[in-house]
């Protein structure tokens, strides 16, 4: 069985104070927010301007496909970041990898903002854009596990889900901030200026990420659970298992759990990126809706997630992770068709209703996901295992979702094909959740012991 008990906060040191727990959780949430902001600005720019600036062609759809393909490259790179940071994070600590990820993301995002267009430097422009996007992908792949574990491994008894959700809030905060900055950039420029240099303004905010990296490096301590696991491994350093890499252990003994974790979350990442990037392109290019209005709807919908994500996480602390998680997947399956029927009306009001209900189901899944993934693995392999599961879901769902959406719309001429795509991933999610529940049952019995007190799976 892949799930197992892990070290607690350590037997040889006093538990962290409530004030210190809050400081670490806040720092982890901010790290997640700024990292996702940097990642999302690329998706918005891909839907609006990157096709024209870096991939000029005779076909508008071809330019958008090329921009979304570059967007997807970042997702293909995310497992690389997860593996590298997981290996080092499980051996050297959560904090150093989080600082490194933030630094890499800040530099890559600022670099995109400074990158000359195709008209200025020719083919070098898209090549450099792809390279910088790969670096963004590596950074976010490394970041998620570090921020998530900084929060959950500092969580007090019975509140791992709630603390983990603080990191998950980085996603809607990142979306809200990215949309807000793009709205401001659009308001300050006309269409010509926005297409030339206005879109670059949101990328310069990446410089602030470097300041946060410095703060975490100097003011935040390593997690108690990692310190405890580190002491245990040091005491057993002559044993064969202590010489094995976390990645090797995962691949030999826990690969099934990693794949099921990825399969369970793919529908969430796919639907999320369809809503924040695919629908932005579809609504402005195919439905001829105004860019500013669609961005504003996306911003307002994301605001609701700030309340829903921690509420779902807190509920999972009470009734179990998988129950809440599965409810969100069922909701996405049932809402996939009505959502696009509402979007197709080209009405801002119905667009808001369709995406709002969809985002509610996303929040229900996303709230408990950090704690769920953390509890699937023991402390000495948790960074690697949880990161791999999450980044596999990003490839299966998020990275290719906007690209697949454009292909489906071009091939079929109907948004119902996109609904079918979401439904297929929801079925995969429910099957994966069912298998995870079956794996957990023999090990935990009717309640069992998880990685922090009672298992909430």
């Amino acid at each position: 069985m892949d799930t197992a008990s892990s070290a607690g906060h350590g037997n040889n040191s006093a538990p962290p104070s409530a004030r210190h727990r809050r400081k670490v959780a806040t720092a982890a949430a901010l790290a997640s927010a700024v990292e996702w902001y940097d990642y999302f600005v690329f998706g918005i720019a891909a839907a609006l301007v990157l096709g024209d600036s870096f991939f000029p062609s005779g076909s508008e759809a071809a330019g958008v496909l090329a921009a979304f393909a570059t967007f997807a490259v970042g997702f293909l790179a995310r497992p690389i970041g997860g593996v590298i940071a997981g290996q080092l994070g499980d051996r050297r600590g959560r904090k150093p990898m989080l600082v490194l990820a933030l630094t890499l993301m800040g530099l890559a995002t600022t670099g995109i903002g400074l990158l000359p267009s195709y008209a200025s430097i020719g083919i070098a422009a898209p090549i450099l854009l792809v390279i910088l996007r790969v670096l963004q992908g590596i950074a976010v792949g490394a970041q998620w596990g570090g921020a998530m574990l900084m929060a959950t491994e500092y969580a007090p008894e019975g509140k791992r889900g709630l603390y983990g959700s603080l990191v998950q809030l980085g996603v809607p905060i990142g979306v809200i901030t990215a949309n807000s900055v793009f709205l401001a950039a659009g308001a300050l420029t006309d269409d010509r200026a926005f297409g030339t240099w206005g879109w670059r303004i949101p990328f310069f905010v990446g410089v602030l990420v470097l300041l946060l990296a410095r703060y975490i490096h100097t003011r935040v301590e390593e997690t108690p659970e990692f310190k405890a696991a580190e002491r245990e491994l040091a005491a057993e350093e002559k044993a064969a298992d202590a010489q094995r890499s976390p990645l090797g252990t995962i691949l030999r003994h826990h690969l099934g759990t990693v794949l099921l974790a990825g399969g369970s979350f793919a529908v969430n990442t796919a639907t999320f990126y369809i809503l924040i990037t695919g629908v932005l392109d579809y609504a402005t290019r195919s439905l001829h809706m105004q860019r500013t209005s669609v961005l504003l709807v996306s911003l307002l919908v994301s605001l609701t997630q700030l309340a829903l994500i921690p509420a779902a996480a807190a509920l999972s602390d009470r009734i179990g992770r998988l129950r809440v998680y599965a409810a969100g997947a069922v909701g996405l399956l049932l809402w996939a068709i009505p959502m696009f029927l509402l979007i197709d009306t080209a009405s801002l009001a119905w667009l808001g209703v369709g995406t709002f209900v969809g985002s509610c189901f996303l929040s229900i899944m996303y709230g408990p996901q950090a704690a769920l993934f953390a509890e699937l693995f023991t402390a000495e392999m948790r960074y690697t295992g949880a990161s791999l599961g999450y980044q596999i879901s990003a490839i299966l769902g998020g990275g290719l979702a906007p690209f697949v959406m454009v292909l489906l719309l071009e091939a079929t001429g109907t948004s119902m094909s996109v609904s079918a795509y979401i439904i297929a991933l929801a079925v995969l999610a429910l099957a994966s959740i069912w298998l995870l529940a079956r794996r957990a049952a023999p090990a935990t019995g009717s309640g069992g012991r998880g990685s922090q007190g009672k298992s909430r799976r």
Side-chain angles (χ1 to χ4, degrees):
M1 172 56 203
D2 295 306
T3 54
S5 178
S6 71
H9 289 320
N11 299 321
N12 300 324
S13 60
S17 66
R19 180 177 178 274
H20 190 66
R21 291 183 199 269
R22 289 194 296 270
K23 182 177 79 170
V24 173
T26 300
L30 286 173
S32 177
V34 297
E35 191 93 347
W36 285 116
Y37 165 85
D38 283 2
Y39 204 65
F40 292 149
V41 292
F42 192 101
I44 297 173
L48 297 177
V49 297
L50 292 187
D52 291 336
S53 297
F54 292 92
F55 305 98
S57 68
S59 167
E60 187 177 6
V64 172
L65 280 171
F68 278 156
T70 307
F71 179 66
V73 165
F75 287 82
L76 297 177
R78 279 167 60 168
I80 299 173
V83 168
I84 295 172
Q87 288 281 94
L88 295 174
D90 282 330
R91 287 176 173 271
R92 304 300 180 189
R94 290 36 169 140
K95 188 182 82 169
M97 293 304 100
L98 180 57
V99 172
L100 180 61
L102 289 168
T103 302
L104 182 60
M105 178 62 88
L107 294 174
T109 303
T110 304
I112 293 172
L114 295 171
L115 189 61
S117 66
Y118 186 95
S120 299
I121 60 173
I123 192 64
I127 292 174
L128 291 173
L129 181 66
V130 170
I131 292 172
L132 290 170
R133 180 59 179 171
V134 167
L135 293 178
Q136 277 195 321
I138 292 173
V140 82
Q143 173 272 146
W144 183 81
M148 180 270 290
L149 293 179
M150 289 294 290
T152 59
E153 290 185 349
Y154 262 103
E157 180 74 22
K159 292 186 178 181
R160 175 166 270 172
L162 181 60
Y163 269 60
S165 73
L166 298 178
V167 174
Q168 306 295 72
L169 287 177
V171 170
I173 292 172
V175 173
I176 291 165
T177 309
N179 281 330
S180 298
V181 176
F182 264 100
L183 283 168
L188 294 172
T189 59
D190 56 26
D191 287 344
R192 180 181 177 83
F194 180 83
T196 303
W197 58 267
W199 66 269
R200 298 175 183 274
I201 295 173
F203 288 88
F204 296 146
V205 179
V207 175
L208 299 178
V209 181
L210 302 176
L211 300 178
L212 180 61
R214 175 67 180 170
Y215 174 83
I216 293 175
H217 176 68
T218 57
R219 300 295 183 90
V220 175
E221 297 179 6
E222 189 53 79
T223 72
E225 285 198 34
F226 176 78
K227 290 180 180 178
E230 190 176 41
R231 286 193 294 270
E232 291 178 7
L233 287 175
E236 301 169 358
E237 62 182 356
K238 294 183 180 180
D241 283 346
Q243 305 302 321
R244 294 174 181 169
S245 72
L247 178 61
T249 302
I250 289 290
L251 294 179
R252 280 190 297 270
H253 304 297
H254 307 280
L255 182 58
T257 296
V258 169
L259 294 176
L260 288 175
S264 75
F265 201 61
V267 66
N268 189 288
T269 55
T271 306
F272 175 78
Y273 285 103
I274 283 172
L275 290 182
I276 69 162
T277 58
V279 168
L280 177 58
D281 167 64
Y282 178 57
T284 55
R285 185 167 58 87
S286 299
L287 301 181
H288 308 293
M289 301 176 72
Q290 290 187 344
R291 178 189 69 214
T292 301
S293 300
V294 177
L295 282 171
L296 184 59
V297 168
S298 179
L299 187 155
L300 293 174
V301 167
S302 296
L303 283 171
T304 64
Q305 293 184 304
L306 297 179
L308 291 172
I309 287 175
L315 182 62
S316 79
D317 282 331
R318 297 175 61 85
I319 70 173
R321 316 276 184 233
L322 288 176
R323 290 178 183 174
V324 177
Y325 199 60
V330 170
L332 290 175
L333 186 151
L334 297 177
W335 188 245
I337 291 176
M339 180 171 67
F340 271 96
L341 289 176
L342 293 175
I343 291 171
D344 283 344
T345 63
S347 161
L348 274 180
W350 289 121
L351 172 71
V353 172
T355 55
F356 167 73
V357 176
S359 74
C360 289
F361 295 127
L362 291 177
S363 300
I364 290 171
M365 286 191 76
Y366 203 59
Q369 183 251 347
L372 173 63
F373 279 29
E375 290 168 353
L376 292 174
F377 306 97
T378 54
E380 65 274 10
M381 68 184 77
R382 184 174 292 151
Y383 203 136
T384 302
S387 292
L388 272 180
Y390 186 71
Q391 304 314 333
I392 285 173
S393 74
I395 293 177
L396 291 175
L400 293 174
F403 183 84
V404 170
M405 179 177 174
V406 175
L407 284 181
L408 289 172
L409 290 170
E410 291 293 314
T412 66
T414 173
S415 63
M416 290 299 98
S417 59
V418 184
S419 296
Y421 173 54
I422 294 174
I423 289 170
L425 289 176
V427 171
L428 173 64
L430 291 170
S432 299
I433 291 168
W434 181 72
L435 290 171
L436 282 173
R438 284 178 61 87
R439 282 171 173 249
T444 60
S446 60
R449 302 292 294 182
S451 56
Q452 187 191 51
K454 288 187 176 181
S455 170
R456 298 295 177 183
R457 291 188 290 280

